[in-house]
Amino acid sequence: PHLNVYDDGESLVVRAELPGLDPADLDLQASADALTIKGERKANKPIEGVSHHRQERSNGVFSRTLNLGQPINPDKIQASYKLGVLEVILPKSAETRPRKIGITS
């Protein structure tokens, strides 16, 4: 699936385009620095007496692993699926979050 990934300072946010999928057909797995999205896009039942003019959407099993490049807290990950877009919020590990440093004079 096509992905957008951005960093909001506290978390990495991944948005994946997955139109037409049932959330029950998705499997998310996370480690300390990687996210894997697996799923299956099931084929439509063939309709008798028709021929396809174009078939661009693929069917079948897919898997995509994204190396995050920094540690995350796997216990606090949140995922939601709305209007064909999967959003996964991956909170950064406390050690990698930016911190404000005060300067004394």
Side-chain angles (χ1 to χ4, degrees):
H2 296 281
L3 301 176
N4 287 345
V5 181
Y6 65 89
D7 183 337
D8 68 6
E10 296 288 318
S11 303
L12 296 174
V13 180
V14 177
R15 290 190 177 141
E17 293 181 7
L18 298 165
L21 261 69
D22 184 334
D25 293 329
L26 294 172
D27 178 32
L28 297 178
Q29 297 179 9
S31 65
D33 63 353
L35 173 69
T36 300
I37 302 170
K38 295 179 182 180
E40 181 176 5
R41 187 180 311 275
K42 297 179 179 164
N44 293 332
K45 293 182 181 179
I47 303 170
E48 287 187 37
V50 301
S51 61
H52 289 280
H53 288 272
R54 185 179 303 245
Q55 188 169 356
E56 295 180 355
R57 291 182 61 194
S58 62
N59 299 313
V61 176
F62 62 86
S63 177
R64 177 123 188 229
T65 299
L66 179 64
N67 291 317
L68 303 171
Q70 59 187 296
I72 58 160
N73 186 343
D75 296 328
K76 296 192 177 190
I77 295 172
Q78 298 175 4
S80 61
Y81 183 77
K82 185 176 180 181
L83 299 174
V85 177
L86 173 68
E87 180 177 83
V88 185
I89 300 172
L90 305 140
K92 292 181 186 180
S93 174
E95 298 85 41
T96 61
R97 289 187 194 150
R99 282 173 244 140
K100 176 107 172 132
I101 299 170
I103 302 172
T104 59
S105 55

